[in-house]
Amino acid sequence: MTIDLQTIGQKLKQARFKSKHTQQQIADQCGISKSLLSKIENGQTSSAVATLSKIAEALDVPLSWVLDGHPETDLVMLPKADRRLSADDENMGYSFELLANRSRTSRIEPTIVYVTPKDYNKRHEPYTHSQDEFIYIVEGAIELYYAGEKHYMAKGDTSYFRGVKPHLFIPVDNDGAKVLTVFIDE
């Protein structure tokens, strides 16, 4: 795999602009010169992965995004054939499919969540996470457990809630459910 210095630089510069930091602030935080950061952002020099890691951390973006080799664009497309279903742990109570390889500087992540049918669902403990969450029931029905209360939701119902409060999609039958979920970073 060839590393594209221009793409890496553009991503770092874009993340720095979004974070509203100057080159000097990021350089100082990373222990590098402003001149070196400028050359990295402009694709004029390569840098050690350790240095890129420090810059990514200072900008609060994943190093994997910086190095993935895909230029940042306004249009993010992911054909159905390229999407993968993730079901690493049967105890999760669901599997999911990312609908777009979102921009790492974007604040939303659209996902389809497939709720495990009732007889097979082993998950009873609620989840928490830092993102807000919007859900739309595409197929089936669930009980949304949220902050100690259960709310029945069927096809076409929507909800928006804070992910920091305990929540869980509880299957109501053995048909499972398909839920469009959009995670929103604050």
Side-chain angles (χ1 to χ4, degrees), residues 116-131:
T116 305
K118 188 174 186 171
D119 286 349
Y120 301 99
N121 194 318
K122 299 178 182 181
R123 181 78 189 198
H124 301 288
E125 294 298 315
Y127 293 97
T128 61
H129 49 75
S130 62
Q131 301 94 351

Side-chain angles (χ1 to χ4, degrees), residues 14 17 20 33 48 51 62-63 67 78 82 85 92 95 107-108 117 120 124-125 129 138 160 167 171 174:
Q14 180 185 27
F17 285 156
K20 298 181 180 161
S33 69
T51 301
L63 179 61
L67 298 175
L78 186 59
D82 294 343
L85 188 64
M92 284 180 25
S95 57
R107 295 180 26 193
I108 67 165
Y120 301 99
H124 301 288
E125 294 298 315
H129 49 75
V138 178
Y160 182 93
H167 61 281
N174 280 324

Side-chain angles (χ1 to χ4, degrees), residues 33-48:
S33 69
K34 178 183 170 189
S35 172
L36 176 59
L37 180 58
S38 177
K39 288 178 182 176
I40 292 169
E41 285 186 352
N42 291 311
Q44 297 171 343
T45 188
S46 61
S47 182

